[in-house]
Amino acid sequence: MPIIDANGKLFSPLFIVMKEVTGDTFGPQVQRDLFTAPNTLVTASSSGKMKKEHLKVWLEEVFFPHVGDRTVLVIDSWSTYKNTALLDAATPEGRHVQIVTVPPKTTPLCQPLDVFGFRMWKTFVRKIWDWVVRDDIQCELHLRNAALKLQSLVHNQFSSPRFREMWKVGWTHPGYFENDEHVEFKTPSQFCFESDAAKENHRCSVAPCEKTHFLTCAWCKATLCFEHFFQYNHFCEVIN
Ligand SMILES: [Zn+2]
Ligand SMILES: [Zn+2]
């Protein structure tokens, strides 16, 4: 469940609800071995859907710590009847939130992440899957920890300040804000997978690795092979 603001900032942590047969908590062994990263907050749900308890955690640990005192929250499914008491209880003293609900069936038109965001995310994940399948790499992306690592790394790449203009499109395109200036930008897939380094088959920039380019880091611009991106967990925050 990513959140973006109207300045084109992707918030951290990324809130993840995983479907678990054990119910709304992870088993002790799973909890102990769970992949953790500074940019993910992982919870369990028997249905895989967000329930009241998840919403409470999301408000308290993801939303309120990262927004200003007066906020408009645009959200695509919100039951006022069920959630008002919960929101009131989770709202810290002196803070104010106005909820704007995107009407059902209009999300492709005016839910910012639906307008421009989720599709980029899926395309990016798909490129990683394709590479793994094509090169027959043993990293089992369907397993819990590899799936979490994948989302953490994608979120990290998408958080690069390079993509701020892209995230803004979800707000300006439906008309939440006027935007007269046309700013050119590259999508994460274009920047990371279609760079010159990719086209020219550059070698991985981590010495002495000789493997071929898999991804150009959206932060440091390093040319990375799959191992140095995924297996070695290239979590980057150094902008170059
Ligand atoms: Zn990097
Ligand atoms: Zn390498």
Side-chain angles (χ1 to χ4, degrees), residues 39 98 152 179 188:
N39 65 340
Q98 185 185 341
S152 160
N179 188 12

CSV table of all heavy atoms in Angstrom, one decimal, residues 39 98 152 179 188:
chain,number,residue,atom,x,y,z
A,39,ASN,N,12.5,0.3,4.9
A,39,ASN,CA,11.4,0.9,4.1
A,39,ASN,C,10.2,0.0,4.0
A,39,ASN,O,9.3,0.3,3.2
A,39,ASN,CB,11.9,1.3,2.7
A,39,ASN,CG,12.3,0.1,1.9
A,39,ASN,OD1,12.5,-1.0,2.4
A,39,ASN,ND2,12.3,0.3,0.6
A,98,GLN,N,-8.8,15.7,6.7
A,98,GLN,CA,-10.0,15.7,5.9
A,98,GLN,C,-9.9,14.5,4.9
A,98,GLN,O,-9.0,14.4,4.2
A,98,GLN,CB,-10.2,17.0,5.2
A,98,GLN,CG,-11.6,17.1,4.5
A,98,GLN,CD,-11.7,18.3,3.7
A,98,GLN,OE1,-11.0,19.3,3.8
A,98,GLN,NE2,-12.6,18.3,2.7
A,152,SER,N,10.7,-4.3,-1.3
A,152,SER,CA,11.5,-3.3,-0.6
A,152,SER,C,12.5,-2.6,-1.6
A,152,SER,O,12.7,-1.4,-1.6
A,152,SER,CB,12.4,-4.0,0.5
A,152,SER,OG,13.5,-3.2,0.9
A,179,ASN,N,-1.1,22.5,-13.7
A,179,ASN,CA,0.3,22.4,-13.9
A,179,ASN,C,0.6,22.8,-15.4
A,179,ASN,O,0.3,22.1,-16.3
A,179,ASN,CB,0.8,20.9,-13.7
A,179,ASN,CG,2.3,20.8,-13.8
A,179,ASN,OD1,3.0,21.9,-13.8
A,179,ASN,ND2,2.8,19.6,-13.9
A,188,PRO,N,10.7,4.8,-14.0
A,188,PRO,CA,11.7,3.9,-13.4
A,188,PRO,C,12.2,2.8,-14.4
A,188,PRO,O,13.3,2.5,-14.5
A,188,PRO,CB,11.0,3.3,-12.2
A,188,PRO,CG,10.0,4.3,-11.8
A,188,PRO,CD,9.5,4.9,-13.1
